[in-house]
Amino acid sequence: MRTTITCAALLLSYLAMTGCASVPMEGMEETSIAKKFNPPVEGNSGLYIYRNSFVGKALKKDVWVDGKCIGETAPDVFFYEEVEGDKFHTISTESEFSPNELIVEVKSGMHYFIKQNMVFWDVGVELVDEEQGKEEVSKLDMAAQGTCRPRRTLGDELYNIQSIGSSLGGLLP
């Protein structure tokens, strides 16, 4: 019982200290148009990339389509991007542990719904069916496409770890 109360207190403290991430948003008109799910331009396919998870509310995570920055996600937002139809496209997201990519073969005239999943230890993207995607996107707001942070490499991470270690080295006896 005491452990449960302690865990609940820690969770509430964490939630109180962390705010929700925010990103620039599109206007109501653009959002409303995107939520009509009109067919994409002839020869194209539409990608709805969205995030609606409870986990990671204070985090922003970059998403890319075929290496092109779409923007940073925040809680309860979606992006709409048209891509060339009848091709394979790679949707990727920033992750703490590994590059997380989804390769989708799209057909012209169709919409595809990609959900960015936030879990305590990682971030991923998955293709969801149209019915689920439309239902979930209809409850969200449309984020403005923007800029992503430069992609980190393993070399960058190792350098950061070495830098932290060197800085701490002077503090330790």
Side-chain angles (χ1 to χ4, degrees), residues 26-38 48 78 137-138 140-142:
E26 289 289 355
M28 294 298 284
E29 185 176 344
E30 293 88 351
T31 300
S32 178
I33 290 168
K35 288 183 181 182
K36 290 180 181 179
F37 306 107
N38 293 325
Y48 285 87
F78 74 93
V137 166
S138 68
L140 307 176
D141 294 317
M142 188 171 175

Side-chain angles (χ1 to χ4, degrees), residues 25 28 31-32 34-37 48-53 57 74-79 113 115 130-143:
M25 303 302 290
M28 294 298 284
T31 300
S32 178
K35 288 183 181 182
K36 290 180 181 179
F37 306 107
Y48 285 87
I49 304 167
Y50 68 98
R51 177 173 146 198
N52 66 347
S53 64
K57 292 259 185 203
D76 304 320
V77 301
F78 74 93
F79 292 102
F113 296 84
K115 183 175 186 175
E130 185 175 14
E131 183 178 331
Q132 176 186 346
K134 282 182 177 180
E135 180 182 332
E136 292 181 341
V137 166
S138 68
K139 298 174 188 172
L140 307 176
D141 294 317
M142 188 171 175

Side-chain angles (χ1 to χ4, degrees), residues 60-64 72 92-96 98 100 116 122-124 149 152:
K60 296 188 267 186
K61 294 292 181 178
D62 297 338
V63 292
W64 296 271
E72 289 181 309
S92 56
T93 186
E94 174 185 15
S95 170
E96 302 303 326
S98 62
N100 284 321
Q116 183 186 49
D122 209 2
V123 181
R149 294 181 299 266
R152 297 181 308 215

